[in-house]
Amino acid sequence: MAKHNSEYFMREAIRLSIENVNSGNGGPFAAVIVKEGKIIATGVNEVTSSKDPTAHAEVVAIRNACKSLNSYQLDGCEIYCSCEPCPMCLGAIYWSRASRIYFANTKEDAAAIDFDDNFIYKEIDRSHADRKVETIQLLRDEALAAFEKWKTSPLKKLY
């Protein structure tokens, strides 16, 4: 198993991000997931080519890594991102249980080229009534039935 240092893996993420720009398949973002000193998955931004707004490099890499490990968690994995993760990707990284995040470009660097996620960070802290996307709660009492079933289900797997 090949062991490399952190700069090696970050350079691979940067290389993939530049390659993605050159290919025209998506934005200038890439991610590399490493376990025990070995790259187990990569991902590049595929938003425009896949017509999927969630196909950010980190999410693509997480999906690929989970398939590779046959797991829904990335315990013991590190993720190398060519840019500081956006709120969606940061959430996905936390849900994946990766142990460490490395990043190169900052969210301010991304904003300077018109990838400004700051409005999402602000929206998260707003009340439902004050968000730019109208947010309306419906049928909570009915929906709680699924949560009640989950609490006692012998089939549940905690994650």
Side-chain angles (χ1 to χ4, degrees):
M1 171 179 338
K3 292 267 186 192
H4 299 285
N5 67 26
S6 298
E7 290 180 0
Y8 172 86
F9 298 122
M10 184 57 75
R11 284 189 179 102
E12 180 62 8
I14 293 166
R15 183 189 72 74
L16 290 169
S17 70
I18 293 168
E19 187 177 279
N20 204 46
V21 171
N22 291 338
S23 74
N25 287 328
F29 306 101
V32 171
I33 298 181
V34 174
K35 185 168 187 157
E36 298 172 354
K38 183 179 179 214
I39 294 174
I40 60 165
T42 64
V44 295
N45 180 284
E46 300 175 357
V47 170
T48 57
S49 60
S50 68
K51 302 190 182 24
D52 178 353
T54 68
H56 289 202
E58 297 88 340
V59 172
V60 172
I62 289 167
R63 289 173 181 162
N64 291 338
C66 287
K67 284 179 189 168
S68 174
L69 295 174
N70 193 30
S71 176
Y72 54 87
Q73 292 185 334
L74 299 178
D75 298 314
C77 293
E78 300 174 331
I79 185 164
Y80 292 81
C81 310
S82 65
C83 186
E84 186 173 359
C86 75
M88 177 185 70
C89 293
L90 186 60
I93 293 166
Y94 271 85
W95 282 117
S96 78
R97 308 297 197 266
S99 62
R100 187 170 286 141
I101 303 167
Y102 293 91
F103 68 94
N105 291 316
T106 66
K107 60 186 176 186
E108 292 81 14
D109 296 329
I113 60 165
D114 299 324
F115 288 96
D116 192 355
D117 301 322
N118 197 38
F119 78 96
I120 297 173
Y121 284 106
K122 289 177 182 174
E123 284 289 297
I124 290 169
D125 286 334
R126 294 179 195 260
S127 70
H128 296 152
D130 292 333
R131 290 184 179 165
K132 295 206 184 314
V133 174
E134 193 172 3
T135 306
I136 303 158
Q137 185 176 22
L138 285 176
L139 303 176
R140 177 175 180 254
D141 291 339
E142 291 180 34
L144 283 173
F147 284 13
E148 290 300 319
K149 286 187 179 290
W150 175 257
K151 280 190 336 189
T152 59
S153 173
L155 303 175
K156 75 178 172 187
K157 293 180 182 177
L158 295 179
Y159 56 96

